[in-house]
Amino acid sequence: MSAGSETTHISSLGKCDGLHQQVLASFPLCDITEEDLTQNPQFCKLLATLAQHVDQAGLTVPLKTDLEKAEQKLQSQRRHWLCSESLHKGLQEMIQDHCIRKHHATVAPDQSMFYETMEKCLLSAQCIKQLDPSSSTNQDQPSILGLNPQQLMELMPSEKNVQRMKQGLPRELEKHLKKKCFGLLSYYQPEWESESDGLKNAKLAHLSAQLGKEKKRTQSLKETCRENMVLLQRQTQLYLSELIKCVQLLQSLILDHRLRIQTDLDRKKLDYFEGKCELVLQKIKTEMVEIQLDTYTPDSISAHRKMREKLDSELKACQAEKQTIELKLASFEILGKEFETLAEEYCRLRQEIEMKDWALKEFTHYKDK
């Protein structure tokens, strides 16, 4: 029974791990970790159910379909606009190239007429477009300088020159575009610049496909880079959380170890300082003995020893005499205050006698001189 429950628990753990990985893969932009999903199983199930109805960017299936249709329509309109804009820019570049050639070399009159007619047509079309009311609003726009499109049409070149320009325009435009394509091909692969025009034309036919493949590969690399960035951020968060846990565990271990060995460390420090103090004391005693040996000779040491013995005997005699006097004083103190008065009078008389003896000696000494 226990073995079966353990097997069921292990299989459920494996399913949960697979569900967590599926949820994390379905929502790569969400800042969630596997630990968050483990702590909130109901939220994990909700995300797993939601992943069946939305994509990785959070869009529902109908909204994604509408968005793809809008993107296709936008791309189609963008292609039409880019086509007309590229044609207009190409014509302007042709006119600029003609102006540059005209300043550096002599140009045929028919070619000058061709480019002048094309320039006037472009200017007139641009001015007429500016004068036309906007198609995005119903409000009438005021005319510029009081002009209207009919007045500008009168400034167009003659119909004959326009027709001649239109007949030669495709050929000249083809030359210009071919030159630009060759320049693009040389920029893409500089080693192809010295090859023949036929080989360049063949390679131009495959240039669009090659650029498309490189664009897809670049987009794939960008997508891979973005996924790796998300994965790196998630792994960085996991690494930081684990690192914080390790630091906390290390701090607790350091604190426990420090408290446990603090007593032994203090005892060893105390023994060390005691030994050091004992060593210093022994060194001081040694220095004192060396100083005594350097200062005193054996004869002076024996003389000092005799002097010390004599002083010790005198000190003992003085102490005995002091003890005797103290006994006498104790016996005198028994007599009371009257004896104290007599003793003071006796001391005063002794002092006067001593003063008079000193004065007599001084007088006698002075008189003998």
Side-chain angles (χ1 to χ4, degrees), residues 24-241:
L24 292 176
S26 301
F27 298 96
L29 300 180
C30 294
D31 189 11
I32 55 177
T33 61
E34 190 171 354
E35 184 178 359
D36 298 334
L37 298 177
T38 305
Q39 296 176 356
N40 302 277
Q42 298 298 327
F43 179 66
C44 180
K45 292 181 181 179
L46 176 61
L47 290 179
T49 306
L50 187 62
Q52 300 176 1
H53 302 281
V54 298
D55 60 354
Q56 294 184 352
L59 298 177
T60 61
V61 176
L63 182 59
K64 185 177 181 180
T65 304
D66 295 340
L67 183 61
E68 290 177 354
K69 292 180 179 179
E71 286 287 342
Q72 292 176 1
K73 185 177 180 180
L74 179 62
Q75 291 295 334
S76 177
Q77 293 180 358
R78 183 179 294 175
R79 282 193 296 269
H80 286 90
W81 180 83
L82 285 175
C83 186
S84 60
E85 186 69 16
S86 300
L87 180 60
H88 185 263
K89 291 292 183 182
L91 296 177
Q92 288 183 339
E93 290 175 358
M94 291 171 62
I95 295 172
Q96 291 177 357
D97 293 342
H98 171 69
C99 293
I100 294 173
R101 288 197 305 270
K102 187 170 62 175
H103 286 288
H104 291 84
T106 304
V107 182
D110 55 346
Q111 194 173 9
S112 298
M113 181 62 67
F114 172 81
Y115 283 105
E116 289 176 1
T117 304
M118 183 172 63
E119 184 178 7
K120 289 180 181 180
C121 290
L122 284 177
L123 290 175
S124 300
Q126 187 175 1
C127 293
I128 291 172
K129 184 178 178 181
Q130 292 292 331
L131 292 176
D132 282 341
S134 176
S135 59
S136 61
T137 178
N138 295 326
Q139 297 179 357
D140 294 335
Q141 293 183 350
S143 61
I144 300 174
L145 300 176
L147 299 174
N148 53 41
Q150 289 76 16
Q151 292 175 342
L152 292 176
M153 290 296 295
E154 296 177 357
L155 300 177
M156 288 283 289
S158 62
E159 186 67 23
K160 181 180 179 180
N161 292 336
V162 172
Q163 292 297 329
R164 187 180 302 172
M165 183 268 296
K166 287 182 179 180
Q167 290 177 359
L169 181 59
R171 184 177 62 257
E172 296 294 331
L173 183 60
E174 182 181 0
K175 291 181 181 179
H176 178 72
L177 294 177
K178 188 175 181 180
K179 181 179 178 182
K180 287 181 66 67
C181 290
F182 284 166
L184 178 62
L185 186 65
S186 299
Y187 177 79
Y188 177 69
Q189 291 291 343
E191 63 272 11
W192 294 350
E193 187 174 1
S194 59
E195 296 180 354
S196 62
D197 292 346
L199 189 57
K200 288 182 179 180
N201 289 329
K203 291 182 178 181
L204 276 175
H206 300 86
L207 181 61
S208 178
Q210 291 180 357
L211 293 177
K213 290 180 181 179
E214 291 191 1
K215 183 178 179 181
K216 290 180 179 179
R217 187 172 62 87
T218 304
Q219 291 177 352
S220 177
L221 291 175
K222 287 183 179 179
E223 184 67 21
T224 305
C225 182
R226 187 183 64 82
E227 293 176 356
N228 291 335
M229 185 64 68
V230 174
L231 181 60
L232 179 62
Q233 291 177 355
R234 186 176 297 128
Q235 290 179 350
T236 303
Q237 292 177 355
L238 292 175
Y239 172 75
L240 291 177
S241 62

Side-chain angles (χ1 to χ4, degrees), residues 347-360:
C347 290
R348 187 180 63 78
L349 292 174
R350 287 291 301 269
Q351 290 178 358
E352 289 182 359
I353 291 171
E354 290 177 356
M355 289 293 295
K356 289 179 180 180
D357 289 340
W358 178 78
L360 182 62

Side-chain angles (χ1 to χ4, degrees), residues 253-270:
L253 290 176
I254 291 174
L255 183 60
D256 294 341
H257 182 68
R258 183 181 298 172
L259 293 175
R260 188 165 53 254
I261 68 170
Q262 189 66 37
T263 305
D264 298 337
L265 183 62
D266 293 340
R267 181 177 56 78
K268 291 179 180 179
K269 284 184 178 180
L270 183 61

